[in-house]
Amino acid sequence: MSSLRSLTEQVRVFAVERDWEQFHTPKNLAMALAGEVGELLAEFQWLTPEQSAAVMSDPVLGPRVRAELGDVMIYLVRLADVLGVDPLQAAESKLAESGRRYTVEAAKASATKIPQP
Amino acid sequence: MSSLRSLTEQVRVFAVERDWEQFHTPKNLAMALAGEVGELLAEFQWLTPEQSAAVMSDPVLGPRVRAELGDVMIYLVRLADVLGVDPLQAAESKLAESGRRYTVEAAKASATKIPQP
Amino acid sequence: MSSLRSLTEQVRVFAVERDWEQFHTPKNLAMALAGEVGELLAEFQWLTPEQSAAVMSDPVLGPRVRAELGDVMIYLVRLADVLGVDPLQAAESKLAESGRRYTVEAAKASATKIPQP
Amino acid sequence: MSSLRSLTEQVRVFAVERDWEQFHTPKNLAMALAGEVGELLAEFQWLTPEQSAAVMSDPVLGPRVRAELGDVMIYLVRLADVLGVDPLQAAESKLAESGRRYTVEAAKASATKIPQP
């Protein structure tokens, strides 16, 4: 069964087997994460909003976007693992905080509705 | 119980309740993800590798890094949800592919050992 | 008279006066540049293409975009200075190379016209 | 003679000749800029601070870093041009503002000296 915990473990083993732990400081992994997000951005940069919404139906772009998203996920769980942070709990804490800052009532009432997150 | 699926559902409800689905095109979410990764990078930019490795013990920086990591996770699961991609499967496919490209033997034999991922 | 050389000199003096040269390794400056670009992205993330085209007319967003662009410029010239690279020459070399890869004829003939750069 | 103004003009002609103005909204160009910065980051991600400081002496990495820096410059001047912002003036305004926020005295007196910019 696939789970975030299992993926984290697989990525850790992958790094250990290749003797890459020496490179995997949080600083370096944050950079690698950003580099992968840059590649993901590049897939979307010239698309219209509508084209971006249909990207997974594209036989060329769809698999590329999926692969880039996979790369981002890999580095995110690796960074969280090295930091000793549970990324699900970190996300849920942040979501709860955002819920207090951006109440449903305020968001609905706002004309501009600048979304966050 | 916390799981990636549950987080995905919570983030979706969060967006729907606030009428933010209109903003959540893949293109926009990729940008938001990149913006959050930029904030995460900023926490590490002036730290030495050693300081970055100890960042979670810092009473000021630790919670900030955790919060930024949470934000990145939120946008990543939201983007994956909107695209209809399972981020765990995407990561595992990519990891398998990387395992074929960077075999343990080759990585260990390489003097430079440029790590990937 | 304002010039890229003069800006480079001003930014260098700014760093030296504050004893910040110790932090300004290329690695750290590349991260800082990326962090600033993340802030620039954040200004555009929820805008439609049309809204983004009119952003400088917005009394709130216009000055923010200008300030973020200034930050990006500052770190780019600082990074180039520390590396000993002339950013104008680097750009012109790259543009010439792109001109050979993406000829006018090919770009015009292409239906999809994926632009680069 | 090479100048920022001349580069801006060259990049504009490059885009016009290829009929790429249709893609060059500020939103798209900000994404492209971020994508290029991601490639620049990737060059530095596994380097130690010391290795990053010597990167231009490396016969393989040096030209790559220079090329990536050129790409970043190209998109930055293109974005500024499309927005109608003078990037030098924007940088100088921001530097003056930073000088008021981070005075030389305060920066020197601070033990941690978190640099900005």
Side-chain angles (χ1 to χ4, degrees):
Chain A
M1 196 199 73
S2 188
S3 72
L4 201 60
R5 188 176 301 272
S6 154
L7 176 65
T8 303
E9 185 61 31
Q10 289 173 61
V11 177
R12 188 192 303 161
V13 168
F14 194 99
V16 171
E17 283 182 345
R18 283 160 184 77
D19 202 13
W20 286 348
E21 284 173 300
Q22 58 183 316
F23 299 108
H24 285 191
T25 62
K27 182 179 179 103
N28 289 2
L29 289 167
M31 294 179 82
L33 175 63
E36 294 298 341
V37 169
E39 293 187 33
L40 185 65
L41 269 184
E43 297 296 340
F44 289 109
Q45 66 197 11
W46 308 123
L47 304 186
T48 62
E50 295 72 26
Q51 288 169 332
S52 88
V55 77
M56 295 311 297
S57 313
D58 187 287
V60 174
L61 296 181
R64 270 161 48 178
V65 166
R66 186 175 181 275
E68 296 302 347
L69 207 138
D71 277 333
V72 174
M73 190 71 181
I74 288 169
Y75 279 114
L76 181 55
V77 302
R78 181 66 183 143
L79 174 59
D81 189 31
V82 166
L83 289 171
V85 170
D86 181 324
L88 286 176
Q89 287 185 6
E92 292 188 353
S93 301
K94 200 59 202 296
L95 198 63
E97 188 193 315
S98 294
R100 289 187 296 272
R101 285 176 60 196
Y102 302 89
T103 63
V104 171
E105 295 71 30
K108 290 227 176 234
S110 161
T112 55
K113 290 195 203 95
I114 303 167
Q116 180 78 16
Chain B
M1 196 199 75
S2 189
S3 73
L4 202 61
R5 188 178 301 272
S6 154
L7 176 65
T8 303
E9 185 62 31
Q10 288 174 61
V11 177
R12 188 192 302 159
V13 168
F14 194 99
V16 170
E17 283 182 345
R18 283 160 185 77
D19 203 13
W20 286 349
E21 283 173 302
Q22 58 184 315
F23 299 108
H24 285 190
T25 62
K27 184 178 177 103
N28 289 3
L29 289 167
M31 294 178 82
L33 174 63
E36 295 298 342
V37 170
E39 294 188 31
L40 184 65
L41 269 184
E43 298 295 340
F44 289 109
Q45 66 197 10
W46 308 124
L47 304 186
T48 62
E50 296 71 28
Q51 288 169 332
S52 87
V55 75
M56 296 311 297
S57 313
D58 186 288
V60 175
L61 297 182
R64 271 163 46 180
V65 166
R66 187 176 181 275
E68 296 303 346
L69 206 138
D71 277 333
V72 173
M73 190 71 181
I74 288 170
Y75 278 114
L76 181 56
V77 301
R78 181 65 182 143
L79 174 59
D81 189 32
V82 166
L83 289 171
V85 170
D86 181 322
L88 286 176
Q89 287 184 7
E92 292 188 352
S93 302
K94 200 59 201 297
L95 199 62
E97 188 194 316
S98 294
R100 289 187 295 272
R101 286 176 60 195
Y102 302 89
T103 62
V104 170
E105 295 70 30
K108 290 228 176 232
S110 162
T112 55
K113 291 197 202 92
I114 301 166
Q116 181 78 15
Chain C
M1 194 199 74
S2 188
S3 73
L4 201 61
R5 188 178 301 272
S6 152
L7 176 66
T8 302
E9 186 59 33
Q10 289 174 61
V11 177
R12 188 192 302 160
V13 168
F14 194 98
V16 170
E17 284 181 346
R18 283 161 185 77
D19 202 12
W20 286 349
E21 283 172 302
Q22 57 183 316
F23 299 109
H24 285 191
T25 62
K27 183 178 178 104
N28 290 2
L29 289 167
M31 294 179 82
L33 174 62
E36 295 298 341
V37 170
E39 293 187 32
L40 184 65
L41 269 185
E43 298 295 340
F44 289 109
Q45 66 196 13
W46 307 124
L47 304 186
T48 63
E50 295 73 27
Q51 288 170 332
S52 88
V55 75
M56 295 312 296
S57 315
D58 186 287
V60 175
L61 296 181
R64 271 162 47 180
V65 166
R66 187 176 182 275
E68 296 303 345
L69 207 138
D71 277 332
V72 174
M73 190 71 181
I74 288 170
Y75 278 114
L76 181 55
V77 301
R78 181 66 182 142
L79 175 59
D81 188 31
V82 166
L83 289 171
V85 170
D86 181 324
L88 287 175
Q89 287 183 8
E92 292 187 354
S93 302
K94 199 58 203 294
L95 198 63
E97 187 194 315
S98 294
R100 289 186 294 271
R101 285 176 59 195
Y102 302 89
T103 63
V104 171
E105 294 69 30
K108 292 227 177 235
S110 162
T112 55
K113 290 195 201 97
I114 302 167
Q116 180 80 15
Chain D
M1 194 199 74
S2 187
S3 73
L4 202 60
R5 188 177 302 272
S6 153
L7 176 66
T8 302
E9 185 60 33
Q10 289 174 62
V11 177
R12 188 192 302 160
V13 168
F14 194 98
V16 170
E17 283 181 346
R18 283 160 185 76
D19 202 14
W20 286 349
E21 284 172 301
Q22 56 183 318
F23 299 109
H24 285 190
T25 62
K27 184 180 178 102
N28 289 3
L29 289 166
M31 294 178 82
L33 174 63
E36 295 298 343
V37 169
E39 293 187 33
L40 184 65
L41 269 184
E43 298 296 340
F44 289 110
Q45 64 196 12
W46 309 123
L47 303 186
T48 62
E50 295 71 27
Q51 288 170 332
S52 87
V55 77
M56 295 312 296
S57 314
D58 187 287
V60 175
L61 297 181
R64 270 160 50 178
V65 166
R66 187 176 181 273
E68 296 302 347
L69 208 138
D71 277 332
V72 174
M73 191 71 181
I74 288 170
Y75 278 114
L76 182 55
V77 301
R78 181 66 182 143
L79 174 59
D81 188 31
V82 166
L83 289 171
V85 170
D86 181 323
L88 287 175
Q89 287 183 7
E92 292 187 352
S93 302
K94 200 59 203 297
L95 199 64
E97 188 194 315
S98 294
R100 288 187 295 271
R101 284 177 60 196
Y102 301 89
T103 63
V104 170
E105 294 71 28
K108 290 227 176 235
S110 162
T112 56
K113 291 196 202 95
I114 302 167
Q116 179 80 16

